[in-house]
Amino acid sequence: MNLPNRLTLLRVALIPVFLLFFFLLFPGHYFWALAVFIAASFTDLLDGRIARSRNLITDFGKFMDPLADKLLVVSALVCLMSCAVAPALVVIILISREFLVTSLRLVAAPKGLVIAADRWGKYKTVSQMVWISAALLLLSLGDMGVAVPGARIFNAVCMGIVTALTLISGVNYLWKNREVLKDC
């Protein structure tokens, strides 16, 4: 197994660690959850760069990398929903798009097609990871008793950007791969 694929699997392995820190109530637990989330998110950037620069792109990586992103982000979204930072409707929209794209990939796979992430999917993923990191930082600061003026507005704006990019990328995937669905 090559290095980019190992980094992808590391991202998946960090998810339970993130969840543990998020839900275990001890001083600074949100900070540690944030640190693990950032580390896991960084593996996404790193695995892609290494794979492209060393020509180590594999079908496993094309499939598993976006799946690892989805698992990480969905886990974090559920956590944010559990403490009322993300409303259920937004989380449902974001998760629905993930199921839609994953289903499209599963329909394409028996036809010998691998649907890799495109730029809109990457924008969506980066925006989600930035928003989740910012939300975790705000939770961490709040846990330490630090009030951040405008935090709710900032969170709402970030959430709006993420939701818009999620919808755009979902429609884009469907449109670009509409041929895959013709025989369904």
Side-chain angles (χ1 to χ4, degrees):
M1 179 167 293
N2 66 32
L3 179 59
N5 290 343
R6 280 187 260 156
L7 288 169
T8 297
L9 292 177
L10 173 62
R11 186 161 58 258
V12 173
L14 287 172
I15 294 168
V17 178
F18 164 76
L19 293 170
L20 191 65
F21 282 129
F22 189 91
F23 287 113
L24 280 181
L25 300 177
F26 63 90
H29 70 108
Y30 288 133
F31 173 79
W32 289 107
L34 169 63
V36 172
F37 185 83
I38 289 173
S41 298
F42 184 68
T43 66
D44 183 37
L45 173 70
L46 201 56
D47 69 12
R49 285 192 181 183
I50 292 170
R52 286 185 295 278
S53 71
R54 298 182 186 174
N55 197 25
L56 297 173
I57 297 170
T58 64
D59 284 345
F60 176 84
K62 287 180 189 176
F63 176 77
M64 195 61 193
D65 180 64
L67 183 59
D69 295 341
K70 287 172 187 18
L71 292 170
L72 177 64
V73 168
V74 167
S75 297
L77 289 172
V78 170
C79 289
L80 293 178
M81 188 175 69
S82 76
C83 59
V85 172
L89 178 61
V90 169
V91 173
I92 290 167
I93 290 168
L94 302 183
I95 291 174
S96 295
R97 182 263 183 212
E98 302 309 334
F99 278 118
L100 177 74
V101 171
T102 299
S103 298
L104 185 61
R105 286 187 172 114
L106 291 173
V107 169
K111 299 175 182 185
L113 302 171
V114 176
I115 299 174
D118 70 359
R119 67 183 175 125
W120 285 105
K122 291 178 184 183
Y123 297 154
K124 181 266 315 170
T125 299
V126 168
S127 72
Q128 286 177 337
M129 290 180 175
V130 168
W131 169 49
I132 291 166
S133 296
L136 290 168
L137 177 60
L138 292 172
L139 280 172
S140 182
L141 291 170
D143 202 33
M144 291 186 271
V146 178
V148 179
R152 285 181 184 252
I153 293 169
F154 176 76
N155 185 61
V157 168
C158 289
M159 193 173 14
I161 292 168
V162 166
T163 304
L165 286 172
T166 298
L167 291 170
I168 290 167
S169 70
V171 169
N172 182 55
Y173 271 106
L174 282 176
W175 180 254
K176 279 178 49 178
N177 298 291
R178 62 191 178 279
E179 296 296 320
V180 171
L181 299 173
K182 278 198 174 184
D183 297 334
C184 295

